[in-house]
Amino acid sequence: MADRRLGLIMHGVTGRMGYNQHLVRSILAIRDQGGVVLSNGDRLVVDPIIVGRDADKIERLAKKHDIKRWGSDLDAALANPDDTVFFDAGTTLMRASLLERALAAGKHVYCEKPTSDSLDVALNLAKTARASGLKHGVVQDKLFLPGLLKLKMLRDSGFFGKILSVRGEFGYWVFEGDWQPAQRPSWNYRKADGGGIILDMLCHWRYVLDNLFGEVQAVSCLGATHIPERVDEKGNRFTADTDDAAYATFQLEGGVVAQINSSWTTRVRRDDLVTFHVDGTHGSAVAGLHKCWSQHRINTPKPVWNPDQPQTMNFFNDWEEVPDNWPAQNGFKAQWEMFLRHVAEDAPWEYGLEAGAKGVQLAELGLKSWAERRWLDVPKLEF
């Protein structure tokens, strides 16, 4: 057994997602646990360099977390042959060009989604990565959530029988920024900066639906800009010119119907910030980020519609919680470890930039469906 160093260039880690989920809770957590154990017993030890335009901010982050290497010169970082992986969690509009530069420099690439705001760009990027022979991947974090892993276990066990429908609810109230600071960056509400909940969330729903319930075959989507004016981080009012809510219906392979509401303008009264309710002929389940409840057909009550009397049944009591039979870990970290093993020893990997292009395709079709007020088929992409 031996330690094997892996040099990792991390870009875009000063933002909320890049910092919290990827730098601190994934790569630094992997560093602090001593690396990733490979199949032959060797230990892959990550050695990150964090890179960004704001040198002072990058240096402060490096010193805070005892990161030995940092800088503001991305070209210099890409030119270093000792660093073999490039990661980006920066802005959507810059992502494709950054990944192309990294691929041209011979780096394996891993990135946040969406990979672009344009299907043509995302598709060409996936083709470039595939032709390069280098390893490539895109974040599909929700597949690694404990709640969705429990749904997958129920599906694989045959618990649902034939899956009939899926109903998803995602979102929470994002403050406008005037009397309380907003908990999302203001660029989310500016189209020119790559904002909009359809571009953001339909990329997620593509891989969730494809991997758990059936390949997406058609989409109907209605977007909305419910809050037309917001206040940015500097206290300046601006016009929100892109969607902050999306109401989408999907037809899936096998006749499954999925409905998912995504909103930054809703107040939560459900089990979690995202929930998926799956109905099947033999059973149903509801999952959040971590917990999952199931109801088999033999335990299904028989309610009777009677609007003339108050409801006496407590429907929540008729569900059983699926137990935590395996230790939960951060979903981002779990996928990072898979990708690092893929780079180091060609371990199985299903989440290449092709999956990123599929997500962009669905988002683009969702926006088109909204503009044209009609259903649209989702054709298979050719890579």
Side-chain angles (χ1 to χ4, degrees):
M1 294 185 292
D3 286 350
R4 293 170 52 182
R5 175 190 176 275
L6 185 141
L8 169 62
I9 305 163
M10 301 193 73
H11 178 265
V13 297
T14 58
R16 178 179 58 91
M17 187 70 72
Y19 174 72
N20 289 321
Q21 296 294 1
H22 293 288
L23 180 62
V24 175
R25 298 172 191 167
S26 295
I27 293 303
L28 297 185
I30 291 170
R31 179 197 68 180
D32 294 344
Q33 74 185 18
V36 176
V37 178
L38 303 178
S39 60
N40 66 354
D42 287 351
R43 189 173 291 273
L44 191 67
V45 179
V46 292
D47 179 16
I49 175 173
I50 57 174
V51 181
R53 290 177 294 180
D54 190 330
D56 291 338
K57 185 180 289 187
I58 288 290
E59 183 177 3
R60 288 195 299 271
L61 277 184
K63 290 180 177 179
K64 177 179 179 181
H65 294 286
D66 194 27
I67 300 170
K68 305 301 183 184
R69 302 187 300 142
W70 70 89
S72 58
D73 189 341
L74 181 58
D75 288 328
L78 291 173
N80 184 356
D82 294 330
D83 293 323
T84 55
V85 174
F86 172 77
F87 168 74
D88 178 60
T91 65
T92 299
L93 301 185
M94 292 177 58
R95 182 158 298 131
S97 62
L98 288 171
L99 295 179
E100 287 171 352
R101 287 167 61 188
L103 289 166
K107 309 300 183 187
H108 308 294
V109 297
Y110 185 53
C111 67
E112 261 293 345
K113 41 70 39 206
T115 52
S116 174
D117 64 342
S118 161
L119 175 58
D120 288 341
V121 172
L123 194 56
N124 288 333
L125 178 63
K127 291 177 179 178
T128 299
R130 177 176 282 197
S132 73
L134 296 161
K135 309 296 188 186
H136 52 94
V138 63
V139 173
Q140 316 265 267
D141 58 286
K142 289 178 174 49
L143 293 178
F144 299 87
L145 290 169
L148 270 67
L149 288 172
K150 292 171 185 176
L151 282 182
K152 181 178 183 298
M153 181 188 68
L154 292 171
R155 183 205 66 186
D156 292 346
S157 72
F159 170 82
F160 292 113
K162 175 179 170 52
I163 294 178
L164 306 173
S165 63
V166 181
R167 294 194 305 281
E169 289 286 345
F170 164 81
Y172 45 93
W173 188 268
V174 177
F175 284 92
E176 300 90 327
D178 46 8
W179 69 285
Q180 285 203 47
Q183 64 270 47
R184 292 190 68 88
S186 61
W187 66 262
N188 284 276
Y189 307 98
R190 293 190 293 266
K191 186 175 183 179
D193 293 333
I197 202 167
I198 292 176
L199 178 60
D200 186 8
M201 296 311 302
L202 262 64
C203 293
H204 282 297
W205 306 148
R206 179 67 190 268
Y207 68 74
V208 169
L209 294 172
D210 278 2
N211 284 278
L212 293 182
F213 307 115
E215 190 171 356
V216 180
Q217 296 181 333
V219 59
S220 171
C221 183
L222 174 66
T225 305
H226 289 308
I227 307 295
E229 184 180 80
R230 292 181 177 268
V231 177
D232 67 17
E233 292 79 1
K234 296 181 179 180
N236 299 317
R237 293 188 175 274
F238 69 95
T239 299
D241 63 356
T242 191
D243 42 291
D244 55 20
Y247 310 92
T249 306
F250 309 91
Q251 292 178 328
L252 311 184
E253 181 182 16
V256 179
V257 177
Q259 302 165 281
I260 304 181
N261 296 326
S262 311
S263 177
W264 293 322
T265 58
T266 185
R267 295 176 177 89
V268 180
R269 194 177 189 272
R270 53 184 185 274
D271 294 311
D272 214 328
L273 296 186
V274 62
T275 57
F276 292 93
H277 183 125
V278 184
D279 286 317
T281 54
H282 291 176
S284 299
V286 178
L289 294 169
H290 292 271
K291 294 184 178 294
C292 180
W293 295 267
S294 65
Q295 184 178 102
H296 195 264
R297 60 178 175 175
I298 62 172
N299 297 321
T300 302
K302 185 186 265 186
V304 176
W305 176 259
N306 184 355
D308 299 322
Q309 294 182 357
Q311 182 57 248
T312 59
M313 298 178 69
N314 186 330
F315 296 108
F316 289 96
N317 291 341
D318 297 316
W319 295 74
E320 291 186 324
E321 185 174 350
V322 178
D324 295 315
N325 286 342
W326 56 84
Q329 67 169 321
N330 180 283
F332 290 87
K333 178 175 177 284
Q335 192 179 359
W336 260 110
E337 292 187 353
M338 284 185 67
F339 182 70
L340 293 174
R341 291 189 179 97
H342 177 58
V343 169
E345 58 182 1
D346 201 28
W349 179 254
E350 301 176 8
Y351 314 111
L353 288 172
E354 301 92 344
K358 288 181 179 180
V360 176
Q361 178 195 36
L362 188 61
E364 196 169 272
L365 288 171
L367 289 165
K368 185 178 181 182
S369 170
W370 175 22
E372 298 180 0
R373 301 178 67 82
R374 66 185 180 97
W375 275 93
L376 292 172
D377 290 332
V378 181
K380 289 187 179 295
L381 295 176
E382 298 294 332
F383 297 102

